[in-house]
Amino acid sequence: MISESSLPLGPLPGTRYPDERIESFDKSFPRQGNAGIERIATGFRWAEGPVYFRDGGYLLWSDIPNNRIMRWLEDDGHVSEFRRGANYANGNTRDLEGRLISCEHDARRVTRTELDGTITILIDRFEGRLLNAPNDVVVASDGAIWFTDPGYGIDGDYEGHKASPELPTNVYRLDPHSGEVRVVADDFVRPNGLAFSPDGTRLYVVDSGLTHGGPSHIRSFEVSGGRLRNGRVFAEDFAPGITDGLRVDIDGNVWCSMGWADPREDGVRCYSPEGVLLGKIHLPESCANLCFGGRKRNRLFMTASTSVYALYVDTKGAMLP
Ligand code: MG
């Protein structure tokens, strides 16, 4: 199915260095000279949740409406199904032991795939009520699992199954050792992607609530004792489009996805830790999420609608993928 797509793999057509699809607004934008955008896989319905496994040399991502998790081998570009019947998984990450952590829309839970391949349910309800549909997840340096529960996966039958929410659209922190779970933010319309600053003292969380009459921005918080405080809007110039997923590099720059409105804005944006827009990566499709990877952690992988794109950049991803 994948090879039948009409979209070619490899460098985007007409690529010439410097790649004009990469737009700098500040000289500190860590673009890599003589590097262009490559389409590395295509043929999906809705690509999300990229996570890179350096130990295995492969990238995983979710193809949500096709109810599967895909795998791309960096050595030869081979693409195959990592998991068919993935409970309409969305966001993925790894814990401190390298295990896959996944948000599952259809099963309305967050799971961990053990090193022997068995799946452990980490959480599927809060105070006795079912989670909505966990969307994205990140693991803190203390091993705690932070995830968002906006409920997109129960809005309809395309990315999960239609159901009524039993809980508000919260952001949670789960201690996988004690099982303790707490709401760390309850004032998002649709909390979505999230990522920590390199030193773990700040958390960035997307609110893609524009889809439901809310804002379209990224907020940042101070993190202390497993709680959030002093929340403020970090970047807000996304409407009428939205951002969905984000990652942080070793210098604290925030890289976020962009799409769903003006096609000229489809792709990825990079903001300084102070919230200054440094540059844009223009893609041919709306982009949902991204992650750093590659052997040197300097390759940006972007899941964008029907395809996955990659670009070498002049920085590295912070912390684990
Ligand atoms: Mg998301």
Side-chain angles (χ1 to χ4, degrees), residues 1-306:
M1 177 164 77
I2 294 160
S3 61
E4 291 172 2
S5 171
S6 60
L7 294 172
L9 299 180
L12 293 183
T15 291
R16 175 187 176 276
Y17 300 144
D19 191 335
E20 64 181 12
R21 299 177 183 88
I22 303 164
E23 187 176 12
S24 299
F25 301 107
D26 189 287
K27 63 181 185 307
S28 65
F29 181 44
R31 66 182 296 169
Q32 179 63 57
N34 297 345
I37 299 166
E38 302 162 76
R39 181 186 281 119
I40 64 168
T42 191
F44 315 106
R45 286 207 167 95
W46 182 243
E48 247 279 12
V51 58
Y52 184 78
F53 284 65
R54 185 157 49 159
D55 43 348
Y58 59 85
L59 179 80
L60 299 183
W61 69 92
S62 300
D63 181 9
I64 304 176
N66 280 324
N67 192 19
R68 57 184 182 168
I69 295 176
M70 306 302 296
R71 176 176 52 201
W72 170 85
L73 299 180
E74 189 158 28
D75 280 350
D76 60 4
H78 180 71
V79 176
S80 62
E81 288 183 343
F82 171 80
R83 180 177 298 164
R84 181 194 290 262
N87 293 317
Y88 294 78
N90 188 335
N92 297 291
T93 192
R94 303 180 75 183
D95 69 7
L96 302 186
E97 296 175 56
R99 295 172 295 191
L100 176 65
I101 307 291
S102 301
C103 296
E104 298 181 359
H105 276 178
D106 203 41
R108 303 171 70 170
R109 65 189 189 182
V110 180
T111 61
R112 178 176 64 215
T113 301
E114 307 296 345
L115 299 180
D116 67 1
T118 59
I119 294 174
T120 300
I121 301 169
L122 297 177
I123 182 170
D124 61 359
R125 58 192 67 218
F126 178 68
E127 295 182 340
R129 289 178 285 174
L130 291 175
L131 296 177
N132 300 320
N135 187 292
D136 216 340
V137 58
V138 66
V139 174
S141 58
D142 63 357
I145 294 164
W146 298 60
F147 67 97
T148 56
D149 191 29
Y152 287 115
I154 57 172
D155 280 348
D157 290 320
Y158 185 58
E159 296 188 20
H161 66 273
K162 191 170 179 57
S164 297
E166 298 179 22
L167 288 164
T169 55
N170 293 325
V171 183
Y172 296 93
R173 175 191 183 273
L174 169 68
D175 181 332
H177 303 296
S178 68
E180 180 198 0
V181 58
R182 72 170 66 118
V183 175
V184 290
D186 62 1
D187 58 349
F188 280 72
V189 176
R190 292 273 160 158
N192 209 315
L194 67 179
F196 288 99
S197 61
D199 63 3
T201 62
R202 294 173 80 181
L203 181 73
Y204 299 94
V205 187
V206 168
D207 195 338
S208 54
L210 187 70
T211 58
H212 291 70
S216 179
H217 61 209
I218 299 170
R219 292 166 67 187
S220 71
F221 299 85
E222 295 173 16
V223 183
S224 179
R227 298 182 188 278
L228 301 179
R229 63 185 185 189
N230 294 333
R232 65 179 181 82
V233 174
F234 170 76
E236 59 182 342
D237 51 345
F238 301 101
I242 60 170
T243 179
D244 184 329
L246 49 74
R247 292 289 190 280
V248 176
D249 67 29
I250 53 174
D251 296 312
N253 298 315
V254 178
W255 300 69
C256 65
S257 74
M258 180 67 188
W260 294 278
D262 184 346
R264 292 172 300 183
E265 296 297 322
D266 287 349
V268 166
R269 293 182 176 187
C270 176
Y271 290 87
S272 75
E274 293 75 36
V276 176
L277 181 62
L278 302 180
K280 296 179 180 179
I281 300 168
H282 297 280
L283 298 178
E285 306 180 64
S286 285
C287 182
N289 218 329
L290 60 147
C291 76
F292 288 94
R295 300 292 181 189
K296 298 178 181 176
R297 235 167 58 237
N298 64 339
R299 199 173 187 187
L300 193 63
F301 294 101
M302 301 163 277
T303 48
S305 303
T306 69

